[in-house]
Each structure stands twice: as C-alpha cells, then as structure tokens.
Amino acid sequence: MPEFTFTHSLVLILIGRVLLSTLCGMLIGWEREKRLKSAGLRTHMLVALASALMMIISKYGFLDVAYLSSVQVDASRMASGVVQAIGFLGAGVIFVKRDNIIGVTTAAGLWATVGIGLAIGSG
C-alpha cells in the first residue's frame, strides 16, 4: 500500500494557491466596493479563499484513506457542493423592488469568484 507524504514544496505550493485565490477575490471585491456595490472586499476574499481551500481539502485531504480498496475518492464532489452552496448565497442577494430586479450581478460575481477559487485551488 503506497503512502502519500506532504513535502515542504507541496505545502508551499498549496499555501501559494490559497494566497493567490485570496488576492484574486480581493481584486474583485475591491472593484465592487469602489463602485459602492454590495458584497465587497471581505466577502469576495472569503469566498475565494474558502473555495480554494475546500478544493485543496477535496484533492489532498483524504489521501490517507484513498489507497484502501474499499474507498472511492472523487474530488469533483466537493467542487459540486461549493457551487451549489454559493447558489444559495447568490439567491439571497437578489431582490425585486417594484419592477426592478437588483443583485443579479452581485450573485454572478460571487459565483464567478467561487469558480476562480476552485480553479486556483485545483491547480
């Protein structure tokens, strides 16, 4: 049974992925905050950081049991759950006021931020 070990270089790469994802979320959030829109800097940073971290956990967090013959590991299941969860958050920021629908761009921005975080987290 092969054993997986984390090397220092892999840990640095994973930390770099989380930091890069957070930076991308920060840039998106900064632009939104600059335009006085809802879901600004902190929200987008947290969404990007969390989605990258969840993807890293999905890929590397279960390697200790992945080599067992009775265990099936599917990294895409976590990504699917993250996309589904952000859909619920996005639905919460969409409002109807009279004849106007507001918050759709904010919801789409959060959804895109999750995509960026997942992509960077997966490498």
Side-chain angles (χ1 to χ4, degrees), residues 14-34:
L14 296 179
I15 290 171
R17 287 181 189 176
V18 171
L19 292 175
L20 178 62
S21 178
T22 304
L23 177 67
C24 290
M26 184 177 76
L27 292 172
I28 296 167
W30 176 73
E31 185 274 334
R32 297 287 296 166
E33 214 164 82
K34 190 174 89 168

Side-chain angles (χ1 to χ4, degrees), residues 95-101:
F95 296 103
V96 178
K97 249 188 205 178
R98 297 184 194 153
D99 291 337
N100 293 334
I101 299 173

